[in-house]
Amino acid sequence: MKMQIASTTDRTARHTLQTFLVAAAIWTAATLSYFWLLGPLGVEDGLNDAAVFYAAFYAVWAGVAFLSFRRSHFGWLTADMMRRYIRPGILLAVVLFGIAAIGIPSLPDLPFGSPDGPPHPFDMSSAYFLPKSAEILLQQLLIAVIAIELKSRQLTDIKVAALVALLFGGAHVMLVYIYPEPVIIVRLTAAGSLLGALAPWLMLRLRGGFLVSYTVHWGFYAWLAPLFWIG
């Protein structure tokens, strides 16, 4: 599933601005509504305490993102092409499920992190990865939209990667309103920038690049999990 780019004659500066605004609106609405729903649901941590609900929640937002850009950015994604990636997608889902449900919990002496360390925004269990997987899908779809839009403006892959890194990393700065520790924000922003730079290169250059990019993004949280595991 290597992304295809529309001709620049189909894109204008106004179209690019609209694309950015719609993508930002979807991301912001999903983020804010996540926190708004915590109270009515009576939970403090939606990803661990209401995993099934928030998996459906982010899956719906991923659907909204895809349908919002289906004609403008994903028109090249034919039914035949999607069918060809059903099996790899299912296989990937099974492997990631096995890592979250069996692999990580089987590691000895969890968590690896010090309980006396600075506060952090992660409490991870096997349940955490169900909604997180759907949230990553939403984020990857929006990154794909931005990458396609920028590439359609005849930017080089390096410039596309740099701009996506700036946007995706910068979006994490908003977490300053949630997590008071500056060190956490810096680390999350740096990680977001790195993932944001890598994602468009994978998507634009590799066949099956979207799945690879998704796996790398998911793998970042799998790498963190042994540090912050709560069982």
Side-chain angles (χ1 to χ4, degrees):
M1 190 184 301
K2 186 177 179 181
M3 297 193 307
Q4 299 176 16
I5 311 301
S7 169
T8 55
T9 58
D10 298 329
R11 307 294 198 209
T12 63
R14 182 178 181 181
H15 184 280
T16 299
L17 178 60
Q18 289 175 339
T19 296
F20 281 23
L21 290 176
V22 172
I26 291 173
W27 191 321
T28 302
T31 301
L32 293 179
S33 54
Y34 167 88
F35 291 101
W36 289 338
L37 288 169
L38 291 177
L41 290 174
V43 297
E44 293 184 1
D45 181 353
L47 298 187
N48 287 295
D49 301 336
V52 174
F53 176 86
Y54 276 107
F57 168 85
Y58 280 118
V60 168
W61 277 112
V64 169
F66 180 77
L67 293 176
S68 297
F69 297 103
R70 178 68 178 93
R71 292 185 177 181
S72 60
H73 293 76
F74 297 126
W76 50 270
L77 190 57
T78 64
D80 180 64
M81 184 179 294
M82 287 190 286
R83 280 193 296 268
R84 278 186 282 152
Y85 282 91
I86 289 177
R87 288 185 181 179
I90 292 175
L91 177 60
L92 176 62
V94 170
V95 171
L96 298 186
F97 173 82
I99 293 173
I102 301 174
I104 298 174
S106 298
L107 295 173
D109 301 323
L110 291 176
F112 295 163
S114 170
D116 299 325
H120 59 80
F122 302 108
D123 284 317
M124 295 183 175
S125 65
S126 292
Y128 172 94
F129 283 91
L130 182 62
K132 176 56 69 172
S133 296
E135 183 189 11
I136 291 173
L137 177 60
L138 168 62
Q139 294 179 356
Q140 287 290 309
L141 283 170
L142 294 177
I143 288 174
V145 167
I146 298 301
I148 290 172
E149 184 65 31
L150 291 173
K151 189 62 179 178
S152 73
R153 307 293 295 176
Q154 294 186 330
L155 296 179
T156 65
D157 289 352
I158 293 178
K159 289 182 179 179
V160 171
L163 288 172
V164 174
L166 181 63
L167 292 170
F168 191 60
H172 288 75
V173 176
M174 293 189 300
L175 295 174
V176 70
Y177 297 104
I178 304 169
Y179 306 118
E181 291 290 329
V183 174
I184 293 175
I185 305 303
V186 171
R187 289 176 178 176
L188 290 177
T189 300
S193 298
L194 178 61
L195 291 170
L198 186 60
W201 187 90
L202 294 171
M203 293 179 184
L204 295 169
R205 291 291 190 93
L206 301 183
R207 186 177 298 277
F210 184 90
L211 294 180
V212 176
S213 178
Y214 179 93
T215 303
V216 171
H217 195 160
W218 193 96
F220 170 74
Y221 290 94
W223 174 67
L224 288 177
L227 298 175
F228 308 123
W229 197 256
I230 59 174

